[in-house]
Every structure is written in structure tokens, then in C-alpha cells.
Amino acid sequence: MTGYILKRLVSAIPVLLGISVIVFLIMAMIPGDPATAILGSYATPENVEKLNRDLGLDQGLVPRYFIWLGHMVQGDFGRSFALNRPVLDEVLDRFGATLILAGTSFVLCSLLGVAAGVVSAARQYGWADKAITFVVLLGISIPSFFLGMMMILIFAVQLRWFPVSGMWPIYGDRTVWVLLNHLFMPALALAVVATGVIARLARSAMLEVLRQDFIRTARAKGVRERRVIWRHALRAAMVSIIPVLGIQAGFVLSGAVYIEMVFQWPGVGRMLVDAILKRDILLVQGGVVFIAACYVMFNIMVDVAQAMLDPRIKT
Amino acid sequence: MRGFVTLLARNRLALVGLIVIGCVALLALITPLLPLANPNVIDTPNRFQPPFSAGAVLGTDHLGRDLLSRLLWGTRLSLAMGLAAAMIAATIGSAIGIIAGYYGGRTDNVIMRGVDMLMGFPYILLALAIVAALGPGLMNALIAVAAVNVPFFARNIRGITVGIAHKEFVDAARLSGMRNREIILSEVLPNVLPVIVIAMSTTVGWMILETAGLSFLGLGSQPPQADLGSMLGEARSALITHPHTSIVPGAMILVIVMGINLLGDGVRDALDPRLKSGALSRPMPATTVDRHGPVPVAQTDSLLDIAGLRTEFRVRDRVYKAVGGVDLHVERGECLGIIGESGSGKSVTALSVMGLVASPPGVITGGAVHFDGTDLIGAPYEVLRALRGRRVAYIFQDPLATLHPLYRVGDQLIEAIQTHDPLSKEAARTRAIDLLKSVRIPNAESRIDSYPYEMSGGMRQRVGIAMALANDPDVIIADEPTTALDVTVQAQILSVLSDLRRARGLAIIFITHDFGVVGQLCDRVAVMYAGQIVEEGPTEAVLRNPHHPYTSRLIDCVPTLGGGQRKLAAIPGLPPVVDRLPVGCAFAERCDKAEPACRADAIALMPTGAGRKTRCLFPETKQERIV
Ligand code: SF4
């Protein structure tokens, strides 16, 4: 297994390079003089000249890319001129909050989605199936930012069950309980769409598996139906569910942007939107590369989980 | 195509979606013609008017602008943006996909690498990066959303194109000297166009959502122009004090996207051929019983007595009568063979005993199965379950498919034991090892930790047998257990079964299409054809002197040693389709001796000698055979 993990890590290198190329090319589309665009209102002639020298902006695309890549490999993502601090510091400061939000959401959507899909399949065409199918349709149709706003209205303003926004109260202790209280609504709002997608897929994967011969074998052994569904069938269905969990993790991670805006969550997503509006280009670039790289790493974890689940995958 | 439309129309939800989308689209189209207030006229004194106030049906927003007017204009813009993004993404993506799929080779490789790379990128992030580079704005948001959806189209259309690029008409066009560009435009494109349209219909909802999302973040449409997303974004600061300004645009997005999703689901269902046949439904824990008429009583006091069993498959408006009134019985310690071609109903008969026929579509419509005195047909699930594997166990045909692929064989054995016997894990494991030894698996102690895919076919089937033996059952029903195996392994498995039977006093129902196997193992044999028993009797007598013409044909098919496997195809003709059974003898079409009388009426199973019965008007009598 260690060998397999190493192999997957090595195979991530070209993907990471690909991501850096994509981001680099996108940023190269910036109209006008790049140094002026990056510096914004700090674009004094000296600053422009210094930046041109540091980032090789006056050179061709290819040398520019390698200069940029070289800096990044050394942990230098550039400097945010609007915030006047290194990009990486800012991203790392914010990343914890995003990770807590997206991580919780991911756990929520995986558990809820798989459970809903399994129940739906086991009760195919029954009322539970119909109810779940309807809720799932609603879930994948509602924009997460609108859902978040409605949740604030109902559960925070009307019912006062949860705080309106933020990650921590302005005054008071920072306990886990307080965090959970703040986390619940945004994490749920972020999870809803992915839950719907996962539930749909889990349902059809389960229906597919339940028709297979080994399910009949389990039943012929006298195994209780609950065990047939939740052990035999789900275990086999997970093989096709897990890759989708990986894809949905990407949606959750990047969808956090909306939720962080709605709930004033101090994460990378809000930082990105602010940076785009302020035209703080190096911060955007660094943030995007960082999140995308995290996602690649997460997908490796998904692959490893898949390999542990399915002994037929050569490790 | 007509079938597709009917299917779509039959799907009520899709119709609802279509109507909703139609209404919204119509409203958006006629917005300029409606007597609406100017959406951009600011009237601050009248800001935050509640809905239904004079002059503003939906109220006004934070700048006193009429919400209804802004809603309709915003909807118009949002729909236009979503559609435009979908068109751009579809055009560019499909072009890339067609080129990759048509040219193949290096071109394909390079393009698809890039596409995969893009698809591995969380795509909201990608859209943000593009907007960051181009700067916020309506057009740039549109470009960003279109761009991130290009890979989706490229990948799907490439798949379809690869299939088409190797069809005869494309080859023919190439041979006739047409240039690639002409072939793509005249032969390939018309064929992928429907797929492109469908892919668009399923993604346009997402694109509307995404453009609205970017506008919501302030990165899309810029004031005073507003789409639904930016309306929602602007209303956010007044969410708590004046929620209606948020609810109005948000609800509209929800309605639009839901309508599109309903429609898209309908389209997808209508296109999925598996749903057409209703095949994608899961079998229930036990076969459905829909028994009419009186329940037959047990005809014998045997251990297992099947009387008048009828099982059919209901697929849409068709009924396949797989088992049409079968009587069988097995004594303790006896081995009964059931033989017939595939589709003769022998497996369905066997599976009906413990309610294991897949249902839907299977339904048991008549008869009784008395096991040790109690009728199992229609018995409560818990009663059946307690008997399954405990007193009546099954061995199935292909152990690679019938063993769980992801559990070690030991765990599957232990589960079989613990299901009926509350043993500790260690005790169960010890017993599992004993079981593996009893079916002569070498190195049972280490083999127990193997996965099924790590074993040979013969070993796997031994595991299947061990699992059936786990709880010392009274009856084992073996459904073609040796069919998938080669001849030597087959012989080994048979000898294992035959020893076990003697040692444990097992009753075995052995289902096969091979008379050779029956001859080695079974005391009695029943021959099935088209869902009915056509001949039954002691194995030796039947083999030596078959009474039914079908039986005698089957016996002719037994492979001689070294002569390779002759299949039942050696019998000319095919068995009748069981949804259109003839009135008289089902074998008449293939029978040399068929007379008009044979086709006139149903033929009964008549006694023809000591312990023998035959369903034939003109039983064979003279031939003597040596097997
Ligand atoms: S009943 Fe007639 S057709 Fe049928 S098997 Fe006998 S002889 Fe042949």
C-alpha cells in the first residue's frame, strides 16, 4: 500500500504542473501591461521596473512561466500589494477556516447522500424513495447562496437557533461548541447540492448492485435484509460511489466561495472574491493554485481509499 | 424518435418542467412588450415597498426600483446568459471533441490530456480565475462559464464521434475521396448533433446557476443592469430587514433551474434504454407471491414437495410463463436431477423454492412448496429467511459472480455460519476452516483469507459448496454448479458432492443440462421443457430407456469421452418462447413423431412404468441404450 501511495504521489506531479500551466495561461490573458495590472495603484515606474525584473514580466511567456514556477516551488507565491504581505501567508491564514467548512460539508454530504441513496434504492418506488427523490431534486436545483440566505432568515433571524454569520462570536470564548454552532448552517447549505448529486448516484449504483448474483447468494444464505443492503450491496456500490465523492469534494471546496460570502466566513473563498474585486492578481493566482493543489492531493486520498476498499485494484 | 417523445410525454414530471420552462421563457420574451415600470429608475423615497403595495406588485428594492420589472428583465438576462454560455460551450467543446474523436491517435491523446486536466480542476475556481484575469463584467462572466464547460462537451462528443468515425458510411465517404472536413460536416456532425442538443439541455441549468453565482458575487453583470444573481447579491445586505427583495429573485432562479432539471431528467430517462424495459429495478428480499385458486396439498410426505408450482415473469405488458405447473418431490438423502435446456424453467423452479426468483419481474402465481410439512409459498419473510441456508442451501453456477467480490472467502463463510448460529468469530473461523477441508481445499488455513478473484474456478466452487454446507442443511439445491468449469474440475466437484451426500445424508436437487452429470450423481431425474416436466423417473431407467422423444435427444447429446462437448444445439430448432406457448405439446415443433393430435390439446404427465411418468402421446418404447 505504501508503494501505491508513493506511486500516486509521483503521478500527481504532472497534474500539478498542468494546473500551474492552466493558471499561468489564464493569468497571461490579462489585458495590458502585466506589471501595471498586478501593482494597480502602486504602479510607480520604479515598482513596475522592479516587478518586471523579479517576475521576468518583460520576457517571453515560457521564461516567465519557469520563473514563476521556480518561485512557487520555493514557497514564494508572490506578494499581495493590496494587503502588503506574502500571498502564501494570507492563503494559509485563511485556509484553515475553509478547510473546516468544506471538510464538514464533505462529511455531511457523503453521509447524507449515501444514506439517502441507499434508502431510496432499497425502497424503490415506495414513499421513502419518492420523498427522497423529490427532496434531492429540490436540493440540486436551489442555488446554495439563496439557500444559505433563506436559512439565515428562518433559523437565525426567526427561530434564533443559530448565529446569523461569522465563524466566531466577537466577544466570548472560542470553544468547539461555539464553532459548531456557527458552522452548522453554512456547512449544511454548502452540502445540499453535493448531497443531492451523491444521493442520485448512490441510488442508481445500489440498484445496479442489488441485481447482481452475489446479492442473491447472500439472501440464499439467510442473511438479514438490512445486512444485505448495508453491507453486501453498499460495499460493492461504494466502488462506483467513491470516485463521485472525489468529484463532489471539488464542488464543495470551490462552492465554499458562495457560502463564505453569505455567512461572512473568513476563508479563502471570500479572500479570492475580494482579491478579484480589488484586482489583486497575485493573491488570486496563488489562492487558486493552492486550492487546486489541495484538491489534487485530496483526490489521491480518494484513490487510496478506493484501493483499500477494492482488493482487485493492483496496489 | 416517436418512442422517445411518447416516453417523454408519459413522464409527468418532465411535462411539468417543460411547461414551467415554457412559461418563464415566454415571459422573458415578451418582457419588452409588457407595461412595466423602467427597471432602472431610482426612486429612493419609495424604497423597500413591501409586495402588493400600490404601483409595485412585488414591492421595490433598496433604491426604490420596481421589483417586478427588475425580476422580469433580470430573468431575461439570466436566461440569455445561460443559453449563450451553453451555446458557446457546446460549439467549442463539440468542435474539439469531434476533432479528437475523428482524427484519433496523437491529436486525440494530446487534446484529451488537456481536457482531463481541466476537468480535474474544481470548476468554480477555474471560472473565478478567468474572471480575475479578464476583470469582472457580464461578458467576462459569460466567457468564464462557457470556458469551464467546454471540457464536458469535448469529452462527451469525443466519445460519440469515436463510435461514428469507424462506421461503414464514414469509411465509404473516405474511400470516395471526400476530404476530412467535408466528411466531418456532412457525415459526422449530423449524427452527433442530437447528442450535443441533449448535453446542452442537461447543462443549461447549471450554466444559468453559475452565471447567476458569479453575478451574485459581484463579478458578473454590473449595476445598473441586473440579472437574477446580481439582484440577489444586492439584496443581501437588506436580507434581514427586507427579505422580500432577496426572496423574489432567489425563488425565480429556483423555479427556472428546477424546471430545467425536471425536463433534463425526463429526457435522460426517455433515452436510457434500460429504463425503457423496466430492467433497472432491484429484486426484493423474497419473490412476490400472487397466488389465485386453491393451494394444492402436499402429494407426498417427502422432505420437500413441490406441487403445481407456477412462476412467471411480468415485463411490461408481457407475461413469460417460466414455470407452468411443476410437481416434484425429494426424499431425505435423495439426489434428484432436473435437466433441461436453458430457458426450460429448471432454475426458476429451484429458485422459487426459497423465494429467490428476482422480483420484479418474477411472480409466483400458483402451487405450493411444502418443506417438512409447511408451505413456503407466501410464508412470511422471516420464516423463509430462517430456513434459507439453514435447512435449504443453494449452490450457484458461476462462483465468480455469486461470491461477493470484495470480501475474503473466509468472511463470507463465517457470515454464513453466524447468520444462523451465534458462534464467536474464532469458533466460526475454525468451523469455516473445517468446511473448506471437507470440500478438499488444500491449505485451508491460508486459503480462507483469499479473495474470490484470487482463486481458480474449481476452488471458488468448492467455497460455494462449503458455504452451502455451513449450517448442515437438509437439502442442497445446486443450480448448474459445474457448468462453468472444465471437465476434470467438474469431475472433482461431483465427487466432492457425492461423498458429502453419503456422509451427511443430504438431499440434493441437482440442476443441469448435461445427462452425463445426472448419470453420475442422481437417483432420480426430471426432464423439463418449456416450463413443464416432460419425463420423470429413476435415472438408470430413464437413461437406458427414455420415454419422451425430447429426453432421448438430450441423451444423444451427452459427450463421449474425448469427443469434446457437444451442446444441446445438436437438437434442431429452438424451444418455444414462453410468452407464446402452443396449446398442445410444446415439443411438437421439434419432434419427428409429431401428429396433429399432439398439437390439439394439453398433454398430461402420465405414468409409464415403474416410478416413471411421461408427457407424450407416443412415448418411445423400443430403443435400448447403453450409457
Ligand atoms: S406428444 Fe407428440 S409431439 Fe409431443 S413429444 Fe410426444 S410425439 Fe412428439
Side-chain angles (χ1 to χ4, degrees):
Chain A
M1 190 49 82
T2 329
Y4 178 73
I5 295 173
L6 280 178
K7 218 166 71 191
R8 291 297 290 110
L9 282 174
V10 171
S11 73
I13 294 172
V15 181
L16 289 172
L17 285 177
I19 283 173
S20 70
V21 171
I22 292 170
V23 175
F24 178 78
L25 288 179
I26 290 174
M27 291 305 160
M29 298 191 308
I30 296 173
D33 173 48
T36 319
I38 290 171
L39 286 165
S41 50
Y42 301 88
T44 58
E46 307 88 74
N47 280 345
V48 169
E49 196 201 328
K50 183 177 181 307
L51 198 66
N52 276 339
R53 205 169 344 106
D54 288 351
L55 303 184
L57 294 176
D58 42 5
Q59 302 178 35
L61 270 186
V62 178
R64 243 167 83 188
Y65 169 72
F66 282 104
I67 292 172
W68 178 61
L69 188 66
H71 286 170
M72 257 195 324
V73 170
Q74 293 162 28
D76 175 12
F77 280 55
R79 203 175 170 80
S80 157
F81 292 94
L83 300 169
N84 195 23
R85 67 182 299 206
V87 165
L88 194 59
D89 290 4
E90 176 71 11
V91 172
L92 287 177
D93 274 0
R94 299 280 203 135
F95 187 62
T98 298
L99 199 61
I100 290 174
L101 175 63
T104 313
S105 249
F106 179 69
V107 172
L108 270 181
C109 71
S110 308
L111 293 179
L112 291 177
V114 170
V118 171
V119 171
S120 216
R123 304 254 175 279
Q124 193 188 16
Y125 304 133
W127 68 265
D129 183 26
K130 286 185 179 134
I132 289 173
T133 308
F134 179 73
V135 172
V136 160
L137 177 74
L138 203 65
I140 58 174
S141 304
I142 194 164
S144 62
F145 40 91
F146 180 54
L147 177 67
M149 287 163 75
M150 292 303 104
M151 284 169 84
I152 291 176
L153 263 188
I154 296 169
F155 299 110
V157 177
Q158 294 291 322
L159 298 172
R160 299 183 171 280
W161 289 353
F162 299 100
V164 171
S165 65
M167 185 166 170
W168 300 108
I170 301 167
Y171 310 105
D173 296 331
R174 299 193 156 191
T175 60
V176 174
W177 173 245
V178 167
L179 176 62
L180 287 180
N181 210 18
H182 282 78
L183 182 59
F184 182 80
M185 283 204 302
L188 193 64
L190 179 53
V192 162
V193 176
T195 306
V197 177
I198 293 169
R200 279 189 162 191
L201 182 99
R203 179 178 185 270
S204 58
M206 283 292 288
L207 287 179
E208 199 64 51
V209 166
L210 279 169
R211 287 143 30 89
Q212 298 198 352
D213 286 349
F214 58 82
I215 295 299
R216 189 184 59 192
T217 309
R219 285 173 171 165
K221 287 200 292 195
V223 175
R224 283 184 174 74
E225 190 59 17
R226 190 179 304 164
R227 196 178 158 90
V228 171
I229 301 277
W230 291 95
R231 286 288 203 90
H232 291 250
L234 182 56
R235 172 82 188 251
M238 279 315 279
V239 170
S240 41
I241 294 174
I242 282 187
V244 173
L245 293 186
I247 295 171
Q248 288 309 308
F251 279 86
V252 168
L253 196 59
S254 52
V257 174
Y258 300 125
I259 297 301
E260 289 179 2
M261 293 300 283
V262 172
F263 288 92
Q264 307 285 311
W265 193 265
V268 181
R270 237 176 90 200
M271 177 203 83
L272 280 178
V273 176
D274 289 344
I276 294 172
L277 290 172
K278 287 191 194 128
R279 312 282 298 135
D280 189 348
I281 285 157
L282 290 183
L283 187 56
V284 176
Q285 186 173 296
V288 169
V289 170
F290 186 83
I291 299 259
C294 290
Y295 178 57
V296 171
M297 290 302 150
F298 182 81
N299 267 324
I300 292 178
M301 279 156 57
V302 170
D303 284 350
V304 171
Q306 182 81 318
M308 293 203 293
L309 193 79
D310 189 342
R312 291 167 300 183
I313 292 176
K314 289 259 181 333
T315 55
Chain B
M1 195 62 204
R2 175 138 14 103
F4 169 71
V5 173
T6 10
L7 264 174
L8 193 59
R10 203 182 291 168
N11 187 331
R12 239 176 300 150
L13 287 176
L15 204 62
V16 172
L18 189 65
I19 292 170
V20 168
I21 288 305
C23 291
V24 174
L26 189 72
L27 265 180
L29 274 178
I30 62 170
T31 298
L33 309 175
L34 295 178
L36 291 166
N38 184 325
N40 297 330
V41 167
I42 296 175
D43 179 18
T44 338
N46 279 323
R47 65 202 202 116
F48 292 131
Q49 291 288 316
F52 308 113
S53 45
V57 182
L58 290 179
T60 56
D61 72 356
H62 61 291
L63 296 175
R65 296 173 293 195
D66 181 49
L67 262 184
L68 177 65
S69 170
R70 283 182 73 73
L71 177 73
L72 291 181
W73 283 99
T75 304
R76 197 174 144 86
L77 187 57
S78 276
L79 285 182
M81 294 247 292
L83 268 179
M87 298 282 257
I88 298 171
T91 311
I92 300 177
S94 306
I96 294 175
I98 289 176
I99 290 171
Y102 181 81
Y103 289 101
R106 275 274 286 283
T107 323
D108 187 26
N109 241 327
V110 170
I111 292 179
M112 291 325 283
R113 276 276 165 90
V115 165
D116 281 344
M117 202 71 89
L118 281 170
M119 284 187 102
F121 217 109
Y123 79 8
I124 299 173
L125 213 56
L126 200 55
L128 284 181
I130 295 173
V131 174
L134 301 177
L138 190 63
M139 271 337 268
N140 294 344
L142 184 71
I143 293 171
V145 170
V148 298
N149 281 290
V150 162
F152 169 82
F153 282 95
R155 160 169 291 223
N156 278 314
I157 301 306
R158 174 198 168 263
I160 307 288
T161 311
V162 166
I164 292 172
H166 299 288
K167 288 255 167 74
E168 301 84 19
F169 60 87
V170 175
D171 287 336
R174 229 178 257 138
L175 286 176
S176 73
M178 269 168 90
R179 271 178 309 175
N180 282 333
R181 191 156 44 102
E182 289 168 344
I183 299 178
I184 288 179
L185 288 179
S186 64
E187 306 290 336
V188 178
L189 190 60
N191 282 294
V192 294
L193 208 55
V195 185
I196 298 176
V197 171
I198 287 157
M200 261 178 71
S201 77
T202 52
T203 48
V204 69
W206 280 108
M207 300 211 210
I208 290 176
L209 212 53
E210 283 153 17
T211 44
L214 287 178
S215 290
F216 172 78
L217 296 175
L219 307 176
S221 71
Q222 301 296 317
Q225 195 181 37
D227 69 352
L228 295 171
S230 57
M231 281 177 75
L232 198 54
E234 285 172 22
R236 195 163 59 90
S237 48
L239 171 67
I240 294 168
T241 48
H242 302 96
H244 73 276
T245 51
S246 302
I247 294 174
V248 165
M252 184 54 113
I253 303 179
L254 175 61
V255 166
I256 294 173
V257 177
M258 191 136 152
I260 293 177
N261 281 341
L262 278 172
L263 185 61
D265 290 354
V267 170
R268 205 196 45 211
D269 287 357
L271 287 174
D272 192 334
R274 280 183 314 185
L275 291 165
K276 266 184 213 161
S277 62
L280 200 67
S281 55
R282 56 90 184 74
M284 300 207 282
T287 311
T288 313
V289 174
D290 179 14
R291 197 159 51 165
H292 302 288
V295 176
V297 289
Q299 294 167 323
T300 59
D301 52 2
S302 321
L303 181 60
L304 185 69
D305 180 286
I306 301 175
L309 180 71
R310 290 177 182 279
T311 306
E312 58 191 40
F313 294 104
R314 296 177 180 167
V315 182
R316 295 232 142 178
D317 37 8
R318 286 190 146 191
V319 175
Y320 299 86
K321 292 190 170 140
V323 179
V326 161
D327 302 300
L328 277 176
H329 63 96
V330 192
E331 309 294 335
R332 274 178 206 282
E334 187 191 28
C335 178
L336 168 73
I338 304 181
I339 188 163
E341 292 166 277
S342 52
S344 61
K346 54 193 196 307
S347 292
V348 180
T349 306
L351 291 172
S352 298
V353 171
M354 281 286 137
L356 288 172
V357 178
S359 176
V363 184
I364 297 177
T365 54
V369 174
H370 286 93
F371 176 76
D372 218 2
T374 40
D375 183 11
L376 299 180
I377 303 296
Y381 166 71
E382 208 29 62
V383 171
L384 270 182
R385 192 196 66 73
L387 289 174
R388 284 176 180 177
R390 171 71 197 83
R391 302 200 60 193
V392 180
Y394 282 85
I395 303 171
F396 296 107
Q397 180 174 345
D398 170 16
L400 187 57
T402 54
L403 290 176
H404 198 295
L406 305 179
Y407 287 113
R408 296 172 197 278
V409 294
D411 291 337
Q412 302 192 46
L413 274 168
I414 291 169
E415 182 186 44
I417 295 165
Q418 286 182 326
T419 299
H420 298 288
D421 193 348
L423 278 182
S424 71
K425 180 108 189 192
E426 293 74 50
R429 188 179 163 91
T430 315
R431 199 151 115 204
I433 292 174
D434 289 344
L435 283 167
L436 290 180
K437 285 181 179 157
S438 73
V439 292
R440 300 186 214 144
I441 289 186
N443 308 326
E445 287 85 357
S446 62
R447 280 313 222 164
I448 190 168
D449 290 321
S450 303
Y451 288 97
Y453 77 95
E454 294 171 328
M455 301 181 124
S456 68
M459 284 300 146
R460 275 198 292 265
Q461 194 54 291
R462 284 167 204 244
V463 172
I465 296 172
M467 207 148 76
L469 293 171
N471 295 288
D472 235 330
D474 300 313
V475 184
I476 282 189
I477 300 180
D479 188 359
E480 307 223 27
T482 57
T483 307
L485 307 174
D486 68 52
V487 186
T488 34
V489 182
Q490 192 171 330
Q492 291 165 0
I493 297 285
L494 287 179
S495 93
V496 167
L497 271 177
S498 135
D499 290 354
L500 285 169
R501 176 189 157 213
R502 239 160 253 134
R504 302 193 180 212
L506 270 175
I508 296 180
I509 299 181
F510 197 97
I511 294 151
T512 179
H513 60 254
D514 184 349
F515 248 116
V517 173
V518 170
Q520 283 178 45
L521 195 67
C522 300
D523 306 309
R524 275 191 309 125
V525 62
V527 183
M528 281 191 77
Y529 189 79
Q532 288 189 315
I533 290 179
V534 293
E535 172 156 13
E536 189 191 330
T539 312
E540 212 175 308
V542 172
L543 273 174
R544 192 173 312 137
N545 182 11
H547 286 169
H548 197 282
Y550 177 61
T551 315
S552 93
R553 291 279 192 76
L554 274 185
I555 294 172
D556 288 340
C557 292
V558 176
T560 44
L561 203 62
Q565 240 176 334
R566 263 185 292 156
K567 284 268 159 121
L568 286 174
I571 304 182
L574 288 169
V577 186
V578 280
D579 71 331
R580 270 173 281 129
L581 284 178
V583 197
C585 175
F587 189 61
E589 283 305 313
R590 299 162 82 186
C591 182
D592 303 333
K593 304 199 294 181
E595 303 273 338
C598 300
R599 302 177 201 264
D601 219 340
I603 296 164
L605 193 60
M606 302 288 286
T608 50
R612 301 189 58 175
K613 292 174 187 163
T614 308
R615 197 186 293 273
C616 177
L617 293 182
F618 311 103
E620 318 220 67
T621 41
K622 291 174 215 101
Q623 294 161 278
E624 279 283 314
R625 296 167 177 270
I626 302 135
V627 177

